[in-house]
Amino acid sequence: MDWRLLCILYIAYFADVSFCLSKVEGKVYLPADQHLADTRVILDDGEYRGFIKVDGSFVVHNVPTGSYVLEVLSPTYLFEPIRIDVSAKGNIRARRLNNLKPSAVAQVRYPLEMKAVALAKYFQAREKFSIFDMLKNPMVLMMVLPLLVFAVLPKLVNTSDPEVRKEMEESMKMFNQNSSMPDAAEFMSNLFGSGSNKQKAVTSSKSGKSKAKRN
Amino acid sequence: MQYNIVFTVKFVAVFGAFLCSFGDALYEDQIGKFDWKKELLGRVDHAVFDSSVSLNKHGFVTTEKGAIACINMRTGEVKWRRILPESDRKITYLAHVRDGLVVVSSKGMARLWDSASGILKWEVDLSVAAENRESFIVIHAATLERSYSEKTLLVILSKTGLHTIAISLTKRKPEIQSVLLNQELTDGDHDKIFVDSQNGKIIHLQLQSGVRLEVTVYDADNLSSPKQVTISTSWLESLAMTALLEDDTLLYVSNDVGAIHLVDLENGNTQATVPLLRLGIKDPVTMMSSNEEEDVAVHGSDVILSHGEGQMSLIKITGSTVKLMQTKIIPEVSDVVFKQKGTEVYAYFASQINNVVSIATVNVKTGKYNDDLTINVTLPPHTGTLEKVYVNMFLKRNTPVGFRALLQTTDETVFLVTQPNRIAWQRQEAIASVVHATMLDLPLSDVDAGIEAEFEESGKTKLMEMFFKRVSAQGSQLISWFNNILRDLKEDTLFTHKTRDPLIQVEGLTRDPFSLHKMIVLVTKSGVLFGMDSLTGEIVWRYFLSQLKGRQLHFFVQRTTAHYPHPPQALLLGLDSSQSQPPIVLAVNPITGVVIDLSADFINLESPVIQAMPFPVPDNHHLRPLIMLDADLNIHLVPDTSDIRAILSELNLYMYDVNVSNGLIRGFSLSEKNSAQLIWSMHLPNTHKIIKFSGKPALEKVDSMGRPLADRSVIYKYLNPNVIAILSESVDDAVDRSSLLLYVIDAVTGAVIHSTIHKKASGPVHMVHSENWLIYSYWNAKARRNEIASFEFYEGKKQFNATVFSSFQTRPDPIVMQQAYIFSAGISCIGVSQTDKGITSRQILFGLKKGVLFGLPRRFFDPRRPLHATERHREEGLVQYMPEIPIPPELYLSYNLTVEGMERIYTAPAALESTSLVLATGLDLFFTRTQPSKMFDVLKEDFDHLLIAVVLLGMFAAALITRRMAQVKQLNKAWR
């Protein structure tokens, strides 16, 4: 089906001078029929209105030929707006509202069945104080986790057990070996000092002192 | 079902993106803390009471603004309200039938509402039967309540036919019968229908050419075979002097002949002609009651004639004899109402002398005036005159009947008066049509004012004297502070909130430190001025001048409350719409409501005032005089003194005038003392008509002169205060040829700064113009959607003259940036937040037609929004361009409330830089405040003082304990 052609046909209908008043019908489905009295059906922002009966049905009367947007407004729920096209002969077509591409046609069932899409959320939740939320804070995490590692972990391991102690000593050795790796500053001074040793460094410091004295 | 899911996903995605960037919604516990809403109805058209026999709680009204409402008659509160569609607002008939409310609109929609809940029971479109549905108009309607059957018949006379709708308790759907009339009725003035509930008849009276009455009698159950009688009468101007009596008798009074005529409806023969003189009636009859009531059975065969100066004669007709029962003098009667309950029939006379309204009662059966059944009430000052009275009569146990009445006055106030002589409540429906609102700071408290007064007279007094004054003033401040504390202690309210608003803790009408508590001055269409407390929405003062009705009203604040001891002053200018009457000028104290009428000074004005503007600078009494320019270009000043004339000649002022009707825009120079000179004028092409124009707010505060860019350079704003934007719509409204034309003009020189055309677009437009930007909404006729255009004007990277702006300097044309967006909701008004220093970013406020006040940060309308956002754009705070502007419910300032029929948004700054006060007027009144950049200058409401205190104390204690512990440890170490 070529929707575009159909659309052009519809527009041709609108351009027709003949005039027709139609009614737009539908039914609103509300969860457990709450807030029926507060729910409103408006066409073109209140130019035409429909009133909902106890069974949820509504009729918008005296709608002339043209294209309209039908909205169901409720303080609690959100509904999808629907575009209603009324042809010169009084035929009615309902389609999804697409403001970006007004010519796009995605038809929906007529008579309309308006179902709540989502709960309207007007408010933001108050942030409540809770330990869990605070712990999730990255700053707190950065502080608390190392603290745990350094303070709590050694306590967990039973140091009086000789086997464990042995193991720990071994690992300490490993740690010491690692720490005996050349220091970065030392490495640099070695590099630029052209194969110098520790003595040179000492002398240089001495010479620094003497310079200070001279001053 | 699939589209629903897609829709939700889209919704969630948009919301998600939104909340990340703002999260500036209300908290649920903030409801009602600083916002309030007044639910209004508008000017009452029709009113009925619950039709049950005994006293009932509910009353129903319909209004000019298309509202149908159920009002609690004990408190005056609205129980439920329904608004009719804009296309069909006029209500012709209202009746209460058993447990339903019948409303018939002029276009032929008959609806029955459940009176308890306001839910629609059924609706009938009567125009369906008509050939030409466009011209279907309901002229008159009546209810036929038949006691013996359970059916109630609603009888409706339209221009083309007579229709009945049978309302039955057992059947859900109403039964409709229609008959076409012989010829189409011309207008409603010469036709009327009556019903006879006892005999089940419908009688249609039609006055033809003043001497012929066409009477058609229908059987209520079968409309098809009516009986028609033509009665030739002596001259009758209107149907007001005719009455239908119980037993098929028509009565009419002809003042020309000076007689009462009785006509038999069966054959059209005149039964009797009784000269008025024989009844003792010397003066012509001015009013005949019983005409209001549609049901013939209500007044039976009794008629009340009003003649002479307040003489009321009760006349009884039996067969063909006419008998005068009683005549009483009740001066200034404005309304006579017949009421029947069971077998009791009473007539009520409402009259008003000065502001005392009295309702006298006469028992129609006996002809006796009943003094027990009289209500005399004194209406409050500044109330208009009585317009209409609706009486509710009910049966009582000991006395036969009791009554209460709904009074409507010309200032659109509705009162309910009850026995004994009491006003139960009043509703100020004038507030539903506000034309101007201003929010003003409240005056300082007496103690603070004492210090202010010291500065005022600083030049006159000596140093020592001033010192002592200061010490005594501050001493008195200290004493009053102690007194307050003591009082709070005594009343045990020291730590409780004084008001419901957490930020306002100063009681009474004095200024609070944040200046959040304001006086709202409302100017209404009906000529009533209100002073309203912004904290609660209570009316502090009101003023009514009936001559203001129908005039164009303008309100100017001349002196604020900041200049103690000078009282604040504002001017109300009422210009005649037809430009034939001299203007009305009122000097109003906006805090106390004291009004001085200055109109006498302008009574001799020869030509109409075309433009008015307050001085940009105050005089030496801190008063900003008003300049008025008349059509002959003469300058008038309020107040007019030689000093002010001297200031005016120094000021080098300019004025502009936009004539919407002929498209002429003119600029004037006011450099000479007494008259203005035309310096430029501009005619819009006659293919377009001006629909909106807007200058920038006077004396607007702009904080920053430019905007820093990502490359660390600055782009300077084009801050010309004289710019006006004019939008005009094409006269041709065909979709393909319609267009909108925008001119941005320097109002001093007349230079066109910028112009744009929107093709295939039309109004209505709503505009905000401020600082260096302009935002307006329009209708894209081709794509059938609302769009918003946004403009920003920049001088460029170099500032031309940083100290002063002059329109006469030749400077380079400003750089114009523009963008447009899709806005998927109908807009009824646009406003912008205002803050004290203008540092806080602006929020654009939208009044949506669906009854929502919606606020969006202005950066969504920044014309520099990029198509592809990069890191540099994000650094500048630019949001990526999206064609559609999101409207999430989180940003509704009115949350789940419906603010019906919004027309205008007013904003005012508070002393808190973060906060702007917002007032939306229309059918409803809604007041709230907004923080466009969140509340950065006050601790949040939910700031946990206790937690901070506990943490600090805990830290302190921990420090002490650990210090002690460390000392002990070191000591132990030393001993080791």
Side-chain angles (χ1 to χ4, degrees), chain B residues 297-430:
Chain B
V298 168
H299 56 87
S301 53
D302 306 289
V303 173
I304 287 169
L305 299 180
S306 135
H307 53 95
E309 277 179 12
Q311 296 195 49
M312 295 285 153
S313 298
L314 176 65
I315 285 166
K316 211 170 195 67
I317 292 109
T318 28
S320 56
T321 56
V322 178
K323 203 173 129 199
L324 177 73
M325 295 291 283
Q326 196 182 1
T327 301
K328 192 176 176 174
I329 298 169
I330 307 171
E332 305 292 328
V333 167
S334 58
D335 217 347
V336 181
V337 184
F338 270 96
K339 282 285 157 186
Q340 179 204 23
K341 273 274 135 72
T343 54
E344 306 283 343
V345 184
Y346 283 82
Y348 296 88
F349 303 90
S351 59
Q352 183 178 23
I353 298 165
N354 294 328
N355 57 349
V356 179
V357 169
S358 47
I359 303 171
T361 315
V362 60
N363 186 331
V364 175
K365 288 270 158 68
T366 60
K368 274 192 184 143
Y369 285 86
N370 200 337
D371 282 337
D372 297 340
L373 283 174
T374 304
I375 294 179
N376 289 303
V377 287
T378 311
L379 298 182
H382 297 299
T383 310
T385 51
L386 198 60
E387 204 170 25
K388 192 121 180 67
V389 180
Y390 304 93
V391 176
N392 176 213
M393 186 166 90
F394 44 85
L395 299 179
K396 275 170 106 176
R397 220 172 283 156
N398 32 16
T399 56
V401 292
F403 82 103
R404 54 186 175 177
L406 202 67
L407 312 180
Q408 197 197 339
T409 54
T410 46
D411 62 331
E412 302 186 7
T413 313
V414 176
F415 296 93
L416 185 85
V417 293
T418 59
Q419 291 170 295
N421 306 336
R422 193 171 68 92
I423 295 179
W425 48 262
Q426 48 178 303
R427 286 185 67 88
Q428 309 286 346
E429 292 304 336

Side-chain angles (χ1 to χ4, degrees), chain B residues 219-490:
Chain B
D219 183 42
D221 296 318
N222 184 14
L223 295 181
S224 55
S225 51
K227 264 196 293 185
Q228 246 177 346
V229 182
T230 307
I231 301 164
S232 34
T233 63
S234 45
W235 180 254
L236 266 179
E237 216 167 272
S238 73
L239 284 173
M241 288 293 156
T242 57
L244 272 175
L245 305 180
E246 235 171 7
D247 30 343
D248 291 344
T249 315
L250 178 87
L251 178 149
Y252 69 90
V253 179
S254 134
N255 281 325
D256 291 350
V257 183
I260 296 176
H261 304 267
L262 292 174
V263 184
D264 190 354
L265 281 188
E266 290 282 325
N267 45 29
N269 295 338
T270 304
Q271 284 179 322
T273 305
V274 182
L276 285 170
L277 270 173
R278 205 204 292 170
L279 298 168
I281 299 171
K282 297 182 191 95
D283 303 298
V285 175
T286 50
M287 187 168 73
M288 183 156 80
S289 67
S290 80
N291 204 275
E292 291 279 305
E293 198 61 51
E294 289 92 5
D295 194 345
V296 173
V298 168
H299 56 87
S301 53
D302 306 289
V303 173
I304 287 169
L305 299 180
S306 135
H307 53 95
E309 277 179 12
Q311 296 195 49
M312 295 285 153
S313 298
L314 176 65
I315 285 166
K316 211 170 195 67
I317 292 109
T318 28
S320 56
T321 56
V322 178
K323 203 173 129 199
L324 177 73
M325 295 291 283
Q326 196 182 1
T327 301
K328 192 176 176 174
I329 298 169
I330 307 171
E332 305 292 328
V333 167
S334 58
D335 217 347
V336 181
V337 184
F338 270 96
K339 282 285 157 186
Q340 179 204 23
K341 273 274 135 72
T343 54
E344 306 283 343
V345 184
Y346 283 82
Y348 296 88
F349 303 90
S351 59
Q352 183 178 23
I353 298 165
N354 294 328
N355 57 349
V356 179
V357 169
S358 47
I359 303 171
T361 315
V362 60
N363 186 331
V364 175
K365 288 270 158 68
T366 60
K368 274 192 184 143
Y369 285 86
N370 200 337
D371 282 337
D372 297 340
L373 283 174
T374 304
I375 294 179
N376 289 303
V377 287
T378 311
L379 298 182
H382 297 299
T383 310
T385 51
L386 198 60
E387 204 170 25
K388 192 121 180 67
V389 180
Y390 304 93
V391 176
N392 176 213
M393 186 166 90
F394 44 85
L395 299 179
K396 275 170 106 176
R397 220 172 283 156
N398 32 16
T399 56
V401 292
F403 82 103
R404 54 186 175 177
L406 202 67
L407 312 180
Q408 197 197 339
T409 54
T410 46
D411 62 331
E412 302 186 7
T413 313
V414 176
F415 296 93
L416 185 85
V417 293
T418 59
Q419 291 170 295
N421 306 336
R422 193 171 68 92
I423 295 179
W425 48 262
Q426 48 178 303
R427 286 185 67 88
Q428 309 286 346
E429 292 304 336
I431 304 175
S433 48
V434 171
V435 290
H436 185 89
T438 311
M439 284 176 261
L440 282 149
D441 283 341
L442 287 168
L444 292 166
S445 64
D446 292 343
V447 181
D448 291 337
I451 290 189
E452 288 288 318
E454 185 188 324
F455 289 109
E456 197 61 36
E457 52 202 37
S458 58
K460 297 169 205 158
T461 46
K462 285 178 195 151
L463 191 71
M464 278 312 278
E465 209 176 322
M466 274 177 71
F467 175 72
F468 282 120
K469 256 191 186 165
R470 163 53 63 92
V471 170
S472 68
Q474 290 199 320
S476 70
Q477 247 178 340
L478 195 70
I479 290 167
S480 78
W481 182 75
F482 269 116
N483 282 341
N484 277 345
I485 296 268
L486 278 178
R487 193 195 62 204
D488 287 348
L489 276 176
K490 211 181 271 171

Side-chain angles (χ1 to χ4, degrees), chain B residues 41-55:
Chain B
L41 306 167
R43 188 179 168 274
V44 172
D45 265 350
H46 304 272
V48 288
F49 290 85
D50 197 313
S51 59
S52 48
V53 177
S54 60
L55 185 63

Side-chain angles (χ1 to χ4, degrees), chain A residues 21 47 62 80 99 124 126, chain B residues 3 23 25-26 29 87 785:
Chain A
L21 291 174
E47 181 69 30
N62 293 331
E80 195 190 5
N99 270 325
Q124 74 186 72
R126 276 255 184 238
Chain B
Y3 68 85
L26 281 170
D29 53 67
S87 56
R785 64 191 179 204

